Amino acid sequence: MSQVRKGPQGTSEAALASSVVPPFVSPRPGHPSNIGQSAPLGATVSPAGVNFSLYSRDASGVDLLFFQQEDDTQPSRVISLDPFINRTYHYWHTFVPAAQAGQLYGYRVHGPLDPSKGMRFDGAKVLLDPYGRGVAVPKNYSRRAAQEKGDNAAKAMKSVVVDTHGYDWEGDTPLRRPSSQTIIYEMHVKGFTRHASSGIPEETRGTYRGVTEKIPYLSDLGISAVEFLPVFQFDSQDCPAGLVNYWGYAPVSFFAPHQAYSCRRDPLYAVDEFRDMVKALHRAGIEVILDVVFNHTAEGDDRGPTLSFRGIDNNAYYVLEHDRSHYANYSGTGNTLNANHPIVRRMIVDSLRYWVEEMHVDGFRFDLASVLARDSSGHVMPNPPVLWDIESDPALAGTKIIAEAWDAAGLYQVGSFLGDSWKEWNGKFRDDVRSFFCGEKGSVQRFADRLIGSHEIYRHEEREAEQSVNFVTCHDGFTLNDLVSYNRKHNEANGENNRDGADDNRSWNCGVEGLSDDPEIERLRNRQVKNFFTVLMLSLGLPMFLMGDEVRRTQHGNNNAYCQDNETNWYDWSLLRNHADIHRFVKLLTARRLLRDTGPERERLTLSELIRQATKSWHGVKLNRPDWGHHSHSVALNVELRREGLLACFIFNAYWEPLEFQLPHIDEEKGGVWRRWIDTFLDPPQDIVPWQSASSVSGQTYRAGPRSVVVLWSTNADQSKYASPSVNPKLPSFMAK
């Protein structure tokens, strides 16, 4: 029996080197020992060897190629599969005795090159296994070589045989943390530690192990889940010439962890290094959510490279236009994965199950998830099979599944994405909160609804409040610093003459475009950053914020930095000193999280039930008189937190002048007193204090500074002195339901 691996730290270089299979003599063609089986797909390791299985309906022939090195110009062995012996239905398969984990392999798939019929076979190209668990990338890898005519063996990525069953998880399991107790930190594996200021050794910067070394920082910050930008193996050359695909939304494999994020070039090491990271994060109580890209691949449009799927079964894997020679482009990247084809559906679900069962991840965020609602003709399906497969798969039960509920062709499903367990990135929360604090007219009603879980959007589904994943910034767009520092995008470095990236940013530069040494401008920007963070953390829903926003990380106005693998994207750890006040503010917010119940009973309540049961009222500067008008820039909300015996008062003043707000009556004879937890207009450390250290404030009113958020609380209040929503005559109808 082979020795159990405990991960990369316990794996010797000799053991890794010995896992590569030397040349050996193949059994004679047709012998039962090399027929193999159609299931499971991919390369499956057994004590006697490895079974290989590949789906291709229209192929006329398939060659399995073995390589000794990732940059070999020729395979060390070619196994030509006999269509009469090594094929069952549309599955090509063979068993290779004595093959082992670590073997480099690929396919050449032969068949018609007839784009008019959707067939793009190219027997000269080395193709990745769609089910390959590891990918080796040669130093001279060339995307162009996969586009041009001829053999590309020396410059092609290769799949790697991986045996995942020897790893010692030491009792680890996915955490299953309740969504009401979840704060998501969206981050990039490489960007988190690649900067020289990270303070970790050069060899671990920008790697899975680098993330592991920074777990104490994440724990101290108070987040409970990390959401990694894509870690499936992707093509870093899928971008304009001279740049690098940094974000990773260019997948070439849905099972292999990105090899470049490993401390070593060995793909087996990458698999275990990823699992070491997951295991360490779980020990710290932090869940792992993966941003997954099942809407397209790196093969691009009809001019793109042949890397895998295109050359294996183009008709099955992609949504094609009516003429079959062009690709439908609902993803905005050149092609669209045919997600509801039975073979692709199976691959997607198998991938998800693999990452849950073998890699122990806790959840997934689906990039452009609405693409998965389209059929092979591009039409939107009322009950897309792949989405119901994901929803109902027992192995995925309890896994967090989050949809980016739109696509690049205009399909927008926020509030209408199907299923009972899907959560949604709430783009309307982002837009309306930005609009309110930027002073946009007519935004106060929408802002108020976002505070209470976007009830207007989600109430019809009778789901939990955390169906809405709330965010102000994410990887796609301005950072929080840039949101308050730039009026327009500055994407010139992307090489597209500033045409790329969104134009609707709802940002405000506070009076100066870009960097400023004016202390008043900086003070205002700090205040706006704190305003955004406060609303994000206090609103009903599941909050998510972007890596580095807690220290005002900047991308210098670039709102589409997908191709900037440099300090534009990397986390500069010196900002911890420069913006210690923001970092402290965020830590105290996450420590208190939402001012609402999080007990077992709370978990069973729907958003509508939470709102109906809450004793709350909306106000303007006068009690019970909220101003929902077009020119209003402020609103106040009082909520009774019954479980905690507290009354909370929230004041949101996006107006450019200070405003005096009446406060609900407090019975001082019974010991009641208002205490100030947050006032973003005040300088640190008074802007936020530890919850129990909140100092008392006197008087019947509170003066909220311009563009500020105030949070007060009291342990005693006379509830009869302020109206409930049901009798508030100026409350919009959608708020009273």
Short mmCIF file of all heavy atoms in Angstrom, two decimals, residues 192-214:
data_model
loop_
_atom_site.label_atom_id
_atom_site.label_comp_id
_atom_site.label_asym_id
_atom_site.label_seq_id
_atom_site.Cartn_x
_atom_site.Cartn_y
_atom_site.Cartn_z
N PHE A 192 -2.94 38.80 -3.53
CA PHE A 192 -2.97 38.99 -2.09
C PHE A 192 -1.58 39.06 -1.48
O PHE A 192 -1.33 39.84 -0.56
CB PHE A 192 -3.77 37.85 -1.46
CG PHE A 192 -4.10 38.04 -0.01
CD1 PHE A 192 -4.67 39.21 0.46
CD2 PHE A 192 -3.84 37.03 0.90
CE1 PHE A 192 -4.98 39.38 1.80
CE2 PHE A 192 -4.15 37.19 2.25
CZ PHE A 192 -4.72 38.36 2.70
N THR A 193 -0.62 38.29 -2.00
CA THR A 193 0.71 38.24 -1.37
C THR A 193 1.86 38.49 -2.34
O THR A 193 3.02 38.39 -1.94
CB THR A 193 0.94 36.87 -0.69
OG1 THR A 193 0.91 35.83 -1.69
CG2 THR A 193 -0.12 36.59 0.36
N ARG A 194 1.57 38.84 -3.60
CA ARG A 194 2.66 38.96 -4.57
C ARG A 194 3.54 40.18 -4.32
O ARG A 194 4.74 40.18 -4.62
CB ARG A 194 2.08 39.04 -5.99
CG ARG A 194 3.14 39.15 -7.08
CD ARG A 194 4.08 37.96 -7.07
NE ARG A 194 5.17 38.13 -8.02
CZ ARG A 194 6.32 38.76 -7.76
NH1 ARG A 194 6.52 39.31 -6.56
NH2 ARG A 194 7.26 38.85 -8.67
N HIS A 195 3.00 41.24 -3.77
CA HIS A 195 3.75 42.48 -3.55
C HIS A 195 4.91 42.25 -2.59
O HIS A 195 4.80 41.49 -1.61
CB HIS A 195 2.81 43.55 -2.99
CG HIS A 195 3.30 44.95 -3.17
ND1 HIS A 195 4.23 45.53 -2.33
CD2 HIS A 195 2.99 45.90 -4.10
CE1 HIS A 195 4.46 46.77 -2.72
NE2 HIS A 195 3.73 47.02 -3.80
N ALA A 196 6.03 42.91 -2.85
CA ALA A 196 7.22 42.74 -2.01
C ALA A 196 6.96 43.12 -0.56
O ALA A 196 7.64 42.64 0.35
CB ALA A 196 8.37 43.57 -2.57
N SER A 197 5.96 43.98 -0.33
CA SER A 197 5.66 44.42 1.03
C SER A 197 4.92 43.37 1.85
O SER A 197 4.64 43.60 3.03
CB SER A 197 4.81 45.69 0.98
OG SER A 197 3.56 45.43 0.34
N SER A 198 4.59 42.21 1.24
CA SER A 198 3.82 41.20 1.96
C SER A 198 4.58 40.61 3.14
O SER A 198 3.97 40.06 4.06
CB SER A 198 3.41 40.08 1.01
OG SER A 198 4.55 39.40 0.51
N GLY A 199 5.91 40.69 3.09
CA GLY A 199 6.69 40.21 4.21
C GLY A 199 6.87 38.71 4.27
O GLY A 199 7.33 38.18 5.29
N ILE A 200 6.53 38.00 3.20
CA ILE A 200 6.73 36.56 3.18
C ILE A 200 7.83 36.24 2.17
O ILE A 200 8.17 37.05 1.31
CB ILE A 200 5.43 35.80 2.83
CG1 ILE A 200 4.94 36.16 1.43
CG2 ILE A 200 4.35 36.12 3.85
CD1 ILE A 200 3.72 35.37 1.01
N PRO A 201 8.43 35.04 2.24
CA PRO A 201 9.55 34.71 1.35
C PRO A 201 9.17 34.82 -0.12
O PRO A 201 8.02 34.58 -0.50
CB PRO A 201 9.88 33.26 1.73
CG PRO A 201 9.39 33.12 3.13
CD PRO A 201 8.17 33.98 3.23
N GLU A 202 10.14 35.17 -0.94
CA GLU A 202 9.91 35.37 -2.37
C GLU A 202 9.25 34.15 -3.00
O GLU A 202 8.35 34.28 -3.85
CB GLU A 202 11.25 35.67 -3.06
CG GLU A 202 11.18 35.74 -4.59
CD GLU A 202 10.39 36.94 -5.09
OE1 GLU A 202 10.39 37.97 -4.39
OE2 GLU A 202 9.77 36.83 -6.17
N GLU A 203 9.69 32.94 -2.60
CA GLU A 203 9.19 31.74 -3.27
C GLU A 203 7.73 31.43 -2.96
O GLU A 203 7.09 30.64 -3.66
CB GLU A 203 10.05 30.52 -2.90
CG GLU A 203 10.07 30.17 -1.41
CD GLU A 203 11.19 30.90 -0.65
OE1 GLU A 203 11.71 31.90 -1.19
OE2 GLU A 203 11.53 30.44 0.45
N THR A 204 7.18 32.04 -1.93
CA THR A 204 5.78 31.78 -1.60
C THR A 204 4.86 32.95 -1.93
O THR A 204 3.65 32.85 -1.75
CB THR A 204 5.62 31.41 -0.11
OG1 THR A 204 6.12 32.48 0.70
CG2 THR A 204 6.34 30.14 0.22
N ARG A 205 5.42 34.06 -2.40
CA ARG A 205 4.57 35.19 -2.75
C ARG A 205 3.68 34.84 -3.94
O ARG A 205 4.13 34.27 -4.92
CB ARG A 205 5.42 36.42 -3.09
CG ARG A 205 6.17 37.00 -1.92
CD ARG A 205 7.06 38.15 -2.35
NE ARG A 205 8.03 38.50 -1.33
CZ ARG A 205 9.09 39.25 -1.53
NH1 ARG A 205 9.33 39.74 -2.74
NH2 ARG A 205 9.92 39.52 -0.54
N GLY A 206 2.43 35.21 -3.85
CA GLY A 206 1.51 35.00 -4.95
C GLY A 206 1.06 33.56 -5.12
O GLY A 206 0.61 33.18 -6.20
N THR A 207 1.12 32.76 -4.06
CA THR A 207 0.79 31.33 -4.17
C THR A 207 -0.28 30.94 -3.16
O THR A 207 -0.66 31.71 -2.28
CB THR A 207 2.04 30.48 -3.89
OG1 THR A 207 2.44 30.65 -2.52
CG2 THR A 207 3.19 30.88 -4.81
N TYR A 208 -0.74 29.69 -3.31
CA TYR A 208 -1.68 29.15 -2.33
C TYR A 208 -1.04 29.16 -0.94
O TYR A 208 -1.70 29.48 0.06
CB TYR A 208 -2.06 27.71 -2.70
CG TYR A 208 -2.67 27.56 -4.07
CD1 TYR A 208 -2.07 26.74 -5.04
CD2 TYR A 208 -3.84 28.22 -4.42
CE1 TYR A 208 -2.63 26.59 -6.31
CE2 TYR A 208 -4.41 28.08 -5.68
CZ TYR A 208 -3.80 27.26 -6.63
OH TYR A 208 -4.35 27.11 -7.87
N ARG A 209 0.23 28.80 -0.88
CA ARG A 209 0.90 28.80 0.42
C ARG A 209 1.03 30.22 0.97
O ARG A 209 0.96 30.45 2.18
CB ARG A 209 2.28 28.16 0.34
CG ARG A 209 2.91 27.96 1.73
CD ARG A 209 4.31 27.40 1.67
NE ARG A 209 4.31 26.03 1.20
CZ ARG A 209 5.42 25.29 1.13
NH1 ARG A 209 6.60 25.81 1.47
NH2 ARG A 209 5.36 24.06 0.69
N GLY A 210 1.20 31.20 0.07
CA GLY A 210 1.24 32.58 0.53
C GLY A 210 -0.04 32.97 1.23
O GLY A 210 -0.02 33.66 2.26
N VAL A 211 -1.19 32.56 0.67
CA VAL A 211 -2.47 32.83 1.34
C VAL A 211 -2.48 32.17 2.71
O VAL A 211 -2.91 32.77 3.71
CB VAL A 211 -3.64 32.30 0.49
CG1 VAL A 211 -4.95 32.42 1.25
CG2 VAL A 211 -3.73 33.06 -0.82
N THR A 212 -1.99 30.93 2.79
CA THR A 212 -1.95 30.22 4.06
C THR A 212 -1.17 31.01 5.11
O THR A 212 -1.57 31.11 6.27
CB THR A 212 -1.34 28.82 3.88
OG1 THR A 212 -2.12 28.08 2.94
CG2 THR A 212 -1.29 28.06 5.19
N GLU A 213 -0.05 31.59 4.70
CA GLU A 213 0.78 32.33 5.64
C GLU A 213 0.12 33.61 6.13
O GLU A 213 0.47 34.14 7.18
CB GLU A 213 2.14 32.64 5.00
CG GLU A 213 2.96 31.38 4.72
CD GLU A 213 4.38 31.69 4.26
OE1 GLU A 213 4.88 32.77 4.62
OE2 GLU A 213 4.97 30.86 3.55
N LYS A 214 -0.86 34.12 5.37
CA LYS A 214 -1.54 35.36 5.75
C LYS A 214 -2.90 35.11 6.41
O LYS A 214 -3.67 36.06 6.61
CB LYS A 214 -1.73 36.25 4.52
CG LYS A 214 -0.44 36.91 4.04
CD LYS A 214 0.08 37.93 5.06
CE LYS A 214 1.24 38.73 4.51
NZ LYS A 214 1.73 39.75 5.49
#
